[in-house]
Amino acid sequence: MTTLRLREQDLEGKVAVITGATRGIGRAIAMNLASRGASILGTCSHASSLDLIANMRDEIDALYKEANQERTCRTTGLAANITSPTCAEDIVKKILDLRYGVDIFVNNAADSLPGGIGDLTVNEIQKSMISNIQTPVLIVDEFVKRKMFRPESRIIYISSIRSRQPWSEQLMYAAGKSAGESLCRTWSMAFGGNEEKFSFMAGTTANSVSVGLTQTDSVMQCPPDALEKFKQEFIPLQSIPRFGQPDDVADVVGMLCSRDTRWITGCVLSASGGGIKIG
Ligand SMILES: NC(=O)c1ccc[n+]([C@@H]2O[C@H](COP(=O)([O-])OP(=O)(O)OC[C@H]3O[C@@H](n4cnc5c(N)ncnc54)[C@H](OP(=O)(O)O)[C@@H]3O)[C@@H](O)[C@H]2O)c1
């Protein structure tokens, strides 16, 4: 497991918007980017989770203090539920209040509830599509319409190996993640510099990261027999056969946010210890 440390300040002056930043993979991504100098707007489902963002801010402050380095970036929390039709507007309002632009957008929060074939309700189907497809589309659209994205921005959609390793109990989840990968391919083509109307954000890349089984709250809250079944399903297929950690994924996302990856766009990267082999 990666120990928390102050890193090279290559993201100084950049702003990252990360959905679902209070826990698990989203939090690890926020810590990675903040420890490189980025200001973070991290969202969560309810105001009751905002304390977790405040804790993260304290941890980052402590890192800078320990290194005797001045901290110019800020970490801000916002309750913006991805199931709400106003989620994108709420995020935009906050960015305007903070007088930020956007350099990095990580679509991390997701509706991961199981939805078994034959048992799905209209509400469950709609909730899944709103959370995993509609809301990320609306967020990117708002950032584009308002010219909030800056040149050479990064869009990263957190996908799942479930879209390639299907299971009848996660029909809509897998479909939503596949849609997210497709969105990135289209965004990459539109925002790279080919289209005049998006020239203000030329050089922007859009990639998805296909995540394998990772030890986060949502997974650890599964009943023990279900957790064991997931481990048996996924870990033996991995090239590196251990339980993935949030930092394993955050370091891949962090890499995609660096300037060195400016030539990678429209891709799906597997962050699963080889659980799924793409390309
Ligand atoms: N863990 C895995 O094994 C795994 C595998 C493949 C893909 N993934 C993907 O990785 C991403 C992160 O998963 P995770 O395991 O890190 O989850 P997690 O530990 O459960 O954290 C979820 C985060 O998303 C936020 N969130 C949940 N529902 C939300 C909503 N309706 N509106 C806004 N924010 C919401 C939570 O905020 P609150 O604190 O307010 O609840 C929290 O910050 C997801 O896209 C998931 O599909 C995970």
Side-chain angles (χ1 to χ4, degrees):
M1 195 164 157
T2 318
T3 40
L4 188 58
R5 65 182 195 280
L6 207 59
R7 301 171 188 238
E8 185 197 341
Q9 300 296 288
D10 63 321
L11 299 181
E12 209 173 343
K14 306 265 183 200
V15 172
V17 178
I18 304 165
T19 60
T22 52
R23 292 181 285 121
I25 293 165
R27 184 182 199 277
I29 294 169
M31 292 300 285
N32 179 303
L33 305 185
S35 66
R36 289 158 63 190
S39 286
I40 307 291
L41 175 61
T43 73
C44 52
S45 59
H46 298 102
S48 56
S49 307
L50 286 172
D51 279 355
L52 297 171
I53 302 270
N55 294 347
M56 181 163 72
R57 184 172 46 230
D58 292 346
E59 251 183 82
I60 299 162
D61 283 348
L63 270 187
Y64 277 83
K65 206 169 166 195
E66 210 177 297
N68 232 346
Q69 211 162 307
E70 197 198 345
R71 184 168 185 232
T72 50
C73 51
R74 285 190 285 172
T75 299
T76 310
L78 175 73
N81 202 299
I82 54 169
T83 60
S84 158
T86 65
C87 182
E89 285 167 41
D90 297 342
I91 292 174
V92 162
K93 269 188 215 144
K94 190 72 184 178
I95 293 172
L96 291 172
D97 282 353
L98 293 164
R99 299 174 188 274
Y100 281 168
V102 176
D103 301 283
I104 297 165
F105 169 52
V106 183
N107 191 81
N108 169 71
D111 175 80
S112 3
L113 286 181
I117 299 174
D119 293 324
L120 284 161
T121 64
V122 169
N123 278 350
E124 282 171 341
I125 296 170
Q126 287 182 342
K127 183 167 168 267
S128 185
M129 291 201 295
I130 288 170
S131 305
N132 299 344
I133 308 173
Q134 177 175 299
T135 293
V137 168
L138 288 175
I139 295 172
V140 170
D141 257 45
E142 285 290 337
F143 291 172
V144 168
K145 261 191 290 194
R146 292 163 186 273
K147 295 197 161 90
M148 281 179 159
F149 275 126
R150 293 195 272 232
E152 300 200 8
S153 288
R154 299 285 184 262
I155 300 173
I156 296 158
Y157 184 102
I158 302 299
S159 182
S160 167
I161 62 172
R162 182 55 87 201
S163 67
R164 288 175 177 73
Q165 216 163 300
W167 178 39
S168 65
E169 290 296 320
Q170 276 189 315
L171 177 79
M172 292 308 300
Y173 176 70
K177 294 299 190 184
S178 301
E181 296 178 9
S182 168
L183 291 173
C184 286
R185 285 187 282 275
T186 307
W187 284 329
S188 82
M189 202 56 194
F191 301 151
N194 282 314
E195 296 199 31
E196 180 55 34
K197 70 175 178 175
F198 305 124
S199 58
F200 65 93
M201 58 187 289
T204 291
T205 67
N207 295 288
S208 43
V209 173
S210 184
V211 173
L213 187 65
T214 310
Q215 192 171 358
T216 64
D217 288 357
S218 57
V219 169
M220 298 313 284
Q221 278 158 10
C222 292
D225 55 333
L227 175 60
E228 198 45 43
K229 206 164 146 270
F230 283 140
K231 285 183 169 174
Q232 289 309 320
E233 177 187 359
F234 290 111
I235 296 179
L237 297 176
Q238 294 174 198
S239 309
I240 304 169
R242 65 168 170 79
F243 206 171
Q245 296 301 309
D247 281 337
D248 292 325
V249 179
D251 284 348
V252 174
V253 174
M255 176 189 77
L256 281 175
C257 295
S258 74
R259 184 166 154 69
D260 289 353
T261 60
R262 62 196 174 278
W263 210 231
I264 300 177
T265 189
C267 292
V268 182
L269 270 83
S270 171
S272 61
I276 218 87
K277 294 166 179 72
I278 303 170

Tab-separated table of all heavy atoms in Angstrom, residues 14-19 39-43 74 76-80 86-106 138-144 146-150 153:
chain	number	residue	atom	x	y	z
A	14	LYS	N	-3.836	23.752	-10.791
A	14	LYS	CA	-4.906	23.003	-11.484
A	14	LYS	C	-6.072	22.776	-10.525
A	14	LYS	O	-5.889	22.726	-9.306
A	14	LYS	CB	-4.389	21.631	-11.942
A	14	LYS	CG	-3.139	21.692	-12.779
A	14	LYS	CD	-3.462	21.680	-14.237
A	14	LYS	CE	-2.203	21.671	-15.083
A	14	LYS	NZ	-2.427	22.119	-16.430
A	15	VAL	N	-7.247	22.588	-11.113
A	15	VAL	CA	-8.453	22.299	-10.324
A	15	VAL	C	-9.017	20.948	-10.769
A	15	VAL	O	-9.191	20.708	-11.967
A	15	VAL	CB	-9.525	23.395	-10.541
A	15	VAL	CG1	-10.835	23.002	-9.874
A	15	VAL	CG2	-9.030	24.743	-10.017
A	16	ALA	N	-9.280	20.100	-9.782
A	16	ALA	CA	-9.853	18.775	-10.085
A	16	ALA	C	-11.227	18.655	-9.437
A	16	ALA	O	-11.383	18.929	-8.248
A	16	ALA	CB	-8.929	17.682	-9.555
A	17	VAL	N	-12.204	18.253	-10.230
A	17	VAL	CA	-13.543	17.961	-9.711
A	17	VAL	C	-13.673	16.441	-9.672
A	17	VAL	O	-13.492	15.773	-10.703
A	17	VAL	CB	-14.640	18.573	-10.614
A	17	VAL	CG1	-16.028	18.222	-10.089
A	17	VAL	CG2	-14.464	20.083	-10.717
A	18	ILE	N	-13.939	15.916	-8.477
A	18	ILE	CA	-14.002	14.455	-8.303
A	18	ILE	C	-15.336	14.113	-7.648
A	18	ILE	O	-15.619	14.581	-6.534
A	18	ILE	CB	-12.844	13.959	-7.405
A	18	ILE	CG1	-11.501	14.397	-7.984
A	18	ILE	CG2	-12.896	12.434	-7.234
A	18	ILE	CD1	-10.336	14.282	-7.006
A	19	THR	N	-16.148	13.314	-8.305
A	19	THR	CA	-17.408	12.922	-7.666
A	19	THR	C	-17.130	11.732	-6.745
A	19	THR	O	-16.308	10.866	-7.060
A	19	THR	CB	-18.488	12.566	-8.709
A	19	THR	OG1	-18.037	11.474	-9.509
A	19	THR	CG2	-18.816	13.755	-9.601
A	39	SER	N	-6.061	21.916	-6.554
A	39	SER	CA	-7.217	22.235	-5.716
A	39	SER	C	-8.306	21.228	-6.054
A	39	SER	O	-8.477	20.849	-7.220
A	39	SER	CB	-7.729	23.647	-5.999
A	39	SER	OG	-6.843	24.578	-5.433
A	40	ILE	N	-9.031	20.813	-5.020
A	40	ILE	CA	-10.021	19.746	-5.212
A	40	ILE	C	-11.415	20.257	-4.884
A	40	ILE	O	-11.615	20.867	-3.827
A	40	ILE	CB	-9.722	18.553	-4.257
A	40	ILE	CG1	-8.269	18.065	-4.375
A	40	ILE	CG2	-10.737	17.425	-4.446
A	40	ILE	CD1	-7.903	17.381	-5.644
A	41	LEU	N	-12.374	19.993	-5.776
A	41	LEU	CA	-13.783	20.077	-5.403
A	41	LEU	C	-14.276	18.628	-5.382
A	41	LEU	O	-14.367	17.982	-6.428
A	41	LEU	CB	-14.592	20.915	-6.401
A	41	LEU	CG	-16.100	20.919	-6.102
A	41	LEU	CD1	-16.403	21.508	-4.728
A	41	LEU	CD2	-16.874	21.691	-7.169
A	42	GLY	N	-14.508	18.134	-4.173
A	42	GLY	CA	-14.901	16.729	-4.018
A	42	GLY	C	-16.357	16.637	-3.600
A	42	GLY	O	-16.780	17.334	-2.677
A	43	THR	N	-17.115	15.796	-4.295
A	43	THR	CA	-18.543	15.707	-3.972
A	43	THR	C	-18.850	14.442	-3.168
A	43	THR	O	-18.033	13.526	-3.077
A	43	THR	CB	-19.422	15.719	-5.241
A	43	THR	OG1	-19.298	14.456	-5.903
A	43	THR	CG2	-19.037	16.849	-6.174
A	74	ARG	N	-6.653	24.459	-2.556
A	74	ARG	CA	-7.730	24.323	-1.570
A	74	ARG	C	-8.489	23.020	-1.798
A	74	ARG	O	-8.566	22.524	-2.926
A	74	ARG	CB	-8.721	25.468	-1.732
A	74	ARG	CG	-8.192	26.774	-1.193
A	74	ARG	CD	-9.297	27.807	-1.157
A	74	ARG	NE	-9.612	28.307	-2.485
A	74	ARG	CZ	-10.648	29.116	-2.762
A	74	ARG	NH1	-11.480	29.486	-1.826
A	74	ARG	NH2	-10.854	29.547	-3.983
A	76	THR	N	-12.306	21.527	-1.206
A	76	THR	CA	-13.667	21.941	-0.865
A	76	THR	C	-14.611	20.767	-1.087
A	76	THR	O	-14.446	20.004	-2.042
A	76	THR	CB	-14.098	23.123	-1.790
A	76	THR	OG1	-13.069	24.105	-1.761
A	76	THR	CG2	-15.409	23.732	-1.356
A	77	GLY	N	-15.582	20.662	-0.206
A	77	GLY	CA	-16.573	19.591	-0.346
A	77	GLY	C	-17.912	20.133	-0.801
A	77	GLY	O	-18.234	21.301	-0.594
A	78	LEU	N	-18.704	19.269	-1.436
A	78	LEU	CA	-20.049	19.656	-1.887
A	78	LEU	C	-20.942	18.414	-1.904
A	78	LEU	O	-20.568	17.388	-2.484
A	78	LEU	CB	-19.963	20.245	-3.312
A	78	LEU	CG	-21.301	20.582	-3.969
A	78	LEU	CD1	-21.926	21.831	-3.323
A	78	LEU	CD2	-21.132	20.803	-5.476
A	79	ALA	N	-22.102	18.540	-1.271
A	79	ALA	CA	-23.079	17.452	-1.382
A	79	ALA	C	-23.800	17.631	-2.713
A	79	ALA	O	-24.463	18.647	-2.935
A	79	ALA	CB	-24.056	17.514	-0.213
A	80	ALA	N	-23.618	16.699	-3.625
A	80	ALA	CA	-24.249	16.775	-4.955
A	80	ALA	C	-24.578	15.344	-5.361
A	80	ALA	O	-23.725	14.619	-5.869
A	80	ALA	CB	-23.302	17.428	-5.957
A	86	THR	N	-30.390	17.952	-10.632
A	86	THR	CA	-29.674	19.238	-10.508
A	86	THR	C	-28.200	19.046	-10.132
A	86	THR	O	-27.504	20.027	-9.860
A	86	THR	CB	-30.339	20.155	-9.447
A	86	THR	OG1	-30.202	19.524	-8.166
A	86	THR	CG2	-31.796	20.425	-9.756
A	87	CYS	N	-27.734	17.812	-10.110
A	87	CYS	CA	-26.350	17.540	-9.673
A	87	CYS	C	-25.332	18.392	-10.450
A	87	CYS	O	-24.474	19.056	-9.860
A	87	CYS	CB	-26.044	16.046	-9.838
A	87	CYS	SG	-24.407	15.586	-9.278
A	88	ALA	N	-25.444	18.384	-11.780
A	88	ALA	CA	-24.470	19.122	-12.610
A	88	ALA	C	-24.548	20.623	-12.314
A	88	ALA	O	-23.509	21.286	-12.151
A	88	ALA	CB	-24.736	18.853	-14.086
A	89	GLU	N	-25.786	21.146	-12.218
A	89	GLU	CA	-25.936	22.594	-11.932
A	89	GLU	C	-25.348	22.943	-10.571
A	89	GLU	O	-24.723	23.988	-10.400
A	89	GLU	CB	-27.417	22.988	-11.881
A	89	GLU	CG	-28.085	23.071	-13.220
A	89	GLU	CD	-29.603	23.149	-13.047
A	89	GLU	OE1	-30.069	23.867	-12.144
A	89	GLU	OE2	-30.292	22.444	-13.799
A	90	ASP	N	-25.576	22.067	-9.589
A	90	ASP	CA	-25.053	22.333	-8.240
A	90	ASP	C	-23.524	22.411	-8.262
A	90	ASP	O	-22.917	23.261	-7.614
A	90	ASP	CB	-25.492	21.239	-7.255
A	90	ASP	CG	-27.012	21.194	-7.088
A	90	ASP	OD1	-27.669	22.194	-7.448
A	90	ASP	OD2	-27.536	20.158	-6.621
A	91	ILE	N	-22.917	21.504	-9.020
A	91	ILE	CA	-21.442	21.502	-9.116
A	91	ILE	C	-20.960	22.792	-9.791
A	91	ILE	O	-20.023	23.447	-9.327
A	91	ILE	CB	-20.953	20.241	-9.860
A	91	ILE	CG1	-21.222	18.986	-9.004
A	91	ILE	CG2	-19.477	20.346	-10.227
A	91	ILE	CD1	-20.925	17.660	-9.678
A	92	VAL	N	-21.648	23.171	-10.876
A	92	VAL	CA	-21.254	24.379	-11.608
A	92	VAL	C	-21.370	25.617	-10.720
A	92	VAL	O	-20.469	26.475	-10.702
A	92	VAL	CB	-22.106	24.524	-12.893
A	92	VAL	CG1	-22.055	25.944	-13.426
A	92	VAL	CG2	-21.604	23.545	-13.944
A	93	LYS	N	-22.480	25.692	-9.954
A	93	LYS	CA	-22.669	26.862	-9.067
A	93	LYS	C	-21.498	26.983	-8.096
A	93	LYS	O	-20.972	28.062	-7.850
A	93	LYS	CB	-23.966	26.704	-8.260
A	93	LYS	CG	-25.160	27.321	-8.949
A	93	LYS	CD	-26.366	27.311	-8.013
A	93	LYS	CE	-27.620	27.076	-8.829
A	93	LYS	NZ	-28.621	26.280	-8.183
A	94	LYS	N	-21.082	25.837	-7.557
A	94	LYS	CA	-19.982	25.850	-6.587
A	94	LYS	C	-18.674	26.305	-7.267
A	94	LYS	O	-17.901	27.080	-6.694
A	94	LYS	CB	-19.819	24.439	-5.994
A	94	LYS	CG	-18.902	24.375	-4.822
A	94	LYS	CD	-19.540	25.004	-3.593
A	94	LYS	CE	-18.628	25.053	-2.416
A	94	LYS	NZ	-19.249	25.695	-1.258
A	95	ILE	N	-18.459	25.820	-8.474
A	95	ILE	CA	-17.227	26.210	-9.182
A	95	ILE	C	-17.223	27.719	-9.453
A	95	ILE	O	-16.197	28.393	-9.305
A	95	ILE	CB	-17.083	25.411	-10.498
A	95	ILE	CG1	-16.856	23.938	-10.170
A	95	ILE	CG2	-15.942	25.937	-11.360
A	95	ILE	CD1	-16.896	23.034	-11.368
A	96	LEU	N	-18.414	28.249	-9.810
A	96	LEU	CA	-18.501	29.697	-10.050
A	96	LEU	C	-18.229	30.463	-8.759
A	96	LEU	O	-17.497	31.451	-8.753
A	96	LEU	CB	-19.880	30.059	-10.620
A	96	LEU	CG	-20.155	29.564	-12.046
A	96	LEU	CD1	-21.612	29.810	-12.432
A	96	LEU	CD2	-19.216	30.217	-13.059
A	97	ASP	N	-18.814	29.981	-7.647
A	97	ASP	CA	-18.567	30.622	-6.337
A	97	ASP	C	-17.075	30.659	-6.026
A	97	ASP	O	-16.559	31.629	-5.479
A	97	ASP	CB	-19.203	29.800	-5.198
A	97	ASP	CG	-20.685	30.014	-5.100
A	97	ASP	OD1	-21.192	30.885	-5.825
A	97	ASP	OD2	-21.336	29.282	-4.312
A	98	LEU	N	-16.401	29.547	-6.333
A	98	LEU	CA	-14.979	29.433	-6.002
A	98	LEU	C	-14.083	30.150	-7.021
A	98	LEU	O	-12.873	30.229	-6.843
A	98	LEU	CB	-14.572	27.943	-5.927
A	98	LEU	CG	-15.183	27.136	-4.782
A	98	LEU	CD1	-15.046	25.636	-5.028
A	98	LEU	CD2	-14.511	27.498	-3.454
A	99	ARG	N	-14.715	30.618	-8.125
A	99	ARG	CA	-13.995	31.278	-9.235
A	99	ARG	C	-12.920	30.362	-9.818
A	99	ARG	O	-11.777	30.757	-10.046
A	99	ARG	CB	-13.356	32.603	-8.779
A	99	ARG	CG	-14.390	33.586	-8.296
A	99	ARG	CD	-13.746	34.825	-7.717
A	99	ARG	NE	-14.742	35.668	-7.088
A	99	ARG	CZ	-15.464	36.571	-7.717
A	99	ARG	NH1	-15.319	36.764	-8.993
A	99	ARG	NH2	-16.354	37.296	-7.056
A	100	TYR	N	-13.312	29.129	-10.000
A	100	TYR	CA	-12.407	28.126	-10.561
A	100	TYR	C	-12.680	27.918	-12.053
A	100	TYR	O	-13.794	28.177	-12.526
A	100	TYR	CB	-12.663	26.759	-9.916
A	100	TYR	CG	-12.068	26.516	-8.548
A	100	TYR	CD1	-12.478	25.392	-7.822
A	100	TYR	CD2	-11.111	27.339	-7.986
A	100	TYR	CE1	-11.956	25.111	-6.568
A	100	TYR	CE2	-10.584	27.065	-6.733
A	100	TYR	CZ	-11.010	25.957	-6.031
A	100	TYR	OH	-10.502	25.680	-4.797
A	101	GLY	N	-11.703	27.374	-12.775
A	101	GLY	CA	-11.947	26.700	-14.036
A	101	GLY	C	-11.838	25.217	-13.721
A	101	GLY	O	-11.720	24.840	-12.555
A	102	VAL	N	-11.882	24.367	-14.752
A	102	VAL	CA	-11.760	22.928	-14.509
A	102	VAL	C	-10.638	22.370	-15.381
A	102	VAL	O	-10.633	22.570	-16.599
A	102	VAL	CB	-13.087	22.192	-14.823
A	102	VAL	CG1	-12.925	20.686	-14.659
A	102	VAL	CG2	-14.222	22.712	-13.951
A	103	ASP	N	-9.695	21.682	-14.739
A	103	ASP	CA	-8.603	21.025	-15.480
A	103	ASP	C	-8.760	19.515	-15.495
A	103	ASP	O	-8.242	18.843	-16.393
A	103	ASP	CB	-7.250	21.359	-14.828
A	103	ASP	CG	-6.996	22.851	-14.809
A	103	ASP	OD1	-6.636	23.390	-15.858
A	103	ASP	OD2	-7.204	23.482	-13.750
A	104	ILE	N	-9.417	18.998	-14.459
A	104	ILE	CA	-9.538	17.536	-14.324
A	104	ILE	C	-10.953	17.230	-13.843
A	104	ILE	O	-11.427	17.843	-12.875
A	104	ILE	CB	-8.516	17.009	-13.280
A	104	ILE	CG1	-7.076	17.261	-13.741
A	104	ILE	CG2	-8.750	15.512	-12.999
A	104	ILE	CD1	-6.021	17.110	-12.638
A	105	PHE	N	-11.630	16.330	-14.546
A	105	PHE	CA	-12.931	15.863	-14.046
A	105	PHE	C	-12.869	14.340	-13.936
A	105	PHE	O	-12.655	13.650	-14.933
A	105	PHE	CB	-14.080	16.279	-14.977
A	105	PHE	CG	-15.379	15.601	-14.641
A	105	PHE	CD1	-15.881	15.632	-13.340
A	105	PHE	CD2	-16.109	14.917	-15.608
A	105	PHE	CE1	-17.071	14.984	-13.002
A	105	PHE	CE2	-17.303	14.271	-15.282
A	105	PHE	CZ	-17.785	14.305	-13.970
A	106	VAL	N	-13.029	13.844	-12.711
A	106	VAL	CA	-13.035	12.394	-12.501
A	106	VAL	C	-14.453	11.974	-12.126
A	106	VAL	O	-14.965	12.345	-11.066
A	106	VAL	CB	-12.053	11.962	-11.392
A	106	VAL	CG1	-12.045	10.428	-11.276
A	106	VAL	CG2	-10.649	12.479	-11.666
A	138	LEU	N	-24.319	15.356	-18.237
A	138	LEU	CA	-24.740	16.727	-17.907
A	138	LEU	C	-23.584	17.536	-17.302
A	138	LEU	O	-23.442	18.723	-17.589
A	138	LEU	CB	-25.930	16.712	-16.940
A	138	LEU	CG	-27.264	16.263	-17.558
A	138	LEU	CD1	-28.343	16.161	-16.475
A	138	LEU	CD2	-27.719	17.235	-18.644
A	139	ILE	N	-22.766	16.879	-16.477
A	139	ILE	CA	-21.633	17.607	-15.872
A	139	ILE	C	-20.663	18.066	-16.971
A	139	ILE	O	-20.285	19.241	-17.047
A	139	ILE	CB	-20.902	16.739	-14.814
A	139	ILE	CG1	-21.825	16.453	-13.621
A	139	ILE	CG2	-19.619	17.431	-14.340
A	139	ILE	CD1	-21.272	15.452	-12.603
A	140	VAL	N	-20.285	17.141	-17.845
A	140	VAL	CA	-19.344	17.514	-18.917
A	140	VAL	C	-19.980	18.575	-19.809
A	140	VAL	O	-19.334	19.571	-20.187
A	140	VAL	CB	-18.891	16.268	-19.723
A	140	VAL	CG1	-18.128	16.676	-20.977
A	140	VAL	CG2	-18.021	15.358	-18.847
A	141	ASP	N	-21.273	18.431	-20.119
A	141	ASP	CA	-21.953	19.419	-20.962
A	141	ASP	C	-21.923	20.815	-20.337
A	141	ASP	O	-21.678	21.807	-21.024
A	141	ASP	CB	-23.409	18.988	-21.205
A	141	ASP	CG	-23.573	18.417	-22.600
A	141	ASP	OD1	-22.705	17.613	-23.003
A	141	ASP	OD2	-24.551	18.794	-23.286
A	142	GLU	N	-22.193	20.876	-19.033
A	142	GLU	CA	-22.175	22.183	-18.351
A	142	GLU	C	-20.776	22.800	-18.405
A	142	GLU	O	-20.627	23.988	-18.678
A	142	GLU	CB	-22.596	22.035	-16.877
A	142	GLU	CG	-24.081	21.821	-16.669
A	142	GLU	CD	-24.915	23.069	-16.996
A	142	GLU	OE1	-24.378	24.186	-16.961
A	142	GLU	OE2	-26.106	22.893	-17.302
A	143	PHE	N	-19.760	21.979	-18.140
A	143	PHE	CA	-18.379	22.494	-18.164
A	143	PHE	C	-18.019	22.999	-19.569
A	143	PHE	O	-17.276	23.967	-19.724
A	143	PHE	CB	-17.378	21.409	-17.748
A	143	PHE	CG	-17.448	20.995	-16.289
A	143	PHE	CD1	-16.703	19.900	-15.836
A	143	PHE	CD2	-18.226	21.681	-15.384
A	143	PHE	CE1	-16.749	19.511	-14.498
A	143	PHE	CE2	-18.282	21.299	-14.040
A	143	PHE	CZ	-17.540	20.205	-13.601
A	144	VAL	N	-18.550	22.310	-20.586
A	144	VAL	CA	-18.247	22.696	-21.968
A	144	VAL	C	-19.007	23.971	-22.329
A	144	VAL	O	-18.426	24.951	-22.824
A	144	VAL	CB	-18.615	21.539	-22.935
A	144	VAL	CG1	-18.597	22.020	-24.383
A	144	VAL	CG2	-17.663	20.358	-22.747
A	146	ARG	N	-20.155	26.301	-20.582
A	146	ARG	CA	-19.678	27.496	-19.865
A	146	ARG	C	-18.183	27.731	-20.064
A	146	ARG	O	-17.589	28.575	-19.389
A	146	ARG	CB	-19.973	27.338	-18.367
A	146	ARG	CG	-21.451	27.381	-18.077
A	146	ARG	CD	-21.715	26.823	-16.715
A	146	ARG	NE	-23.121	26.710	-16.428
A	146	ARG	CZ	-23.869	27.681	-15.908
A	146	ARG	NH1	-23.322	28.831	-15.612
A	146	ARG	NH2	-25.146	27.486	-15.685
A	147	LYS	N	-17.604	26.928	-20.973
A	147	LYS	CA	-16.159	27.047	-21.264
A	147	LYS	C	-15.326	27.003	-19.977
A	147	LYS	O	-14.375	27.786	-19.790
A	147	LYS	CB	-15.859	28.319	-22.062
A	147	LYS	CG	-16.489	28.312	-23.445
A	147	LYS	CD	-15.839	29.357	-24.315
A	147	LYS	CE	-16.052	29.163	-25.765
A	147	LYS	NZ	-17.087	29.667	-26.483
A	148	MET	N	-15.722	26.118	-19.076
A	148	MET	CA	-14.992	25.974	-17.808
A	148	MET	C	-13.739	25.122	-17.982
A	148	MET	O	-12.746	25.316	-17.282
A	148	MET	CB	-15.892	25.319	-16.767
A	148	MET	CG	-16.874	26.289	-16.168
A	148	MET	SD	-17.912	25.468	-14.973
A	148	MET	CE	-18.463	26.875	-14.034
A	149	PHE	N	-13.822	24.145	-18.891
A	149	PHE	CA	-12.635	23.310	-19.135
A	149	PHE	C	-11.528	24.182	-19.705
A	149	PHE	O	-11.780	25.058	-20.542
A	149	PHE	CB	-12.953	22.212	-20.157
A	149	PHE	CG	-13.578	20.974	-19.577
A	149	PHE	CD1	-14.781	20.488	-20.084
A	149	PHE	CD2	-12.956	20.259	-18.554
A	149	PHE	CE1	-15.357	19.332	-19.572
A	149	PHE	CE2	-13.527	19.103	-18.039
A	149	PHE	CZ	-14.736	18.633	-18.555
A	150	ARG	N	-10.308	23.918	-19.262
A	150	ARG	CA	-9.164	24.658	-19.804
A	150	ARG	C	-8.443	23.764	-20.825
A	150	ARG	O	-8.702	22.564	-20.875
A	150	ARG	CB	-8.261	25.073	-18.659
A	150	ARG	CG	-8.986	26.123	-17.779
A	150	ARG	CD	-8.063	26.843	-16.838
A	150	ARG	NE	-7.883	26.175	-15.583
A	150	ARG	CZ	-8.046	26.753	-14.384
A	150	ARG	NH1	-8.436	28.005	-14.293
A	150	ARG	NH2	-7.815	26.091	-13.285
A	153	SER	N	-7.190	19.635	-20.660
A	153	SER	CA	-7.862	19.087	-19.474
A	153	SER	C	-7.857	17.560	-19.533
A	153	SER	O	-7.478	16.960	-20.550
A	153	SER	CB	-9.307	19.593	-19.403
A	153	SER	OG	-9.330	20.949	-19.042
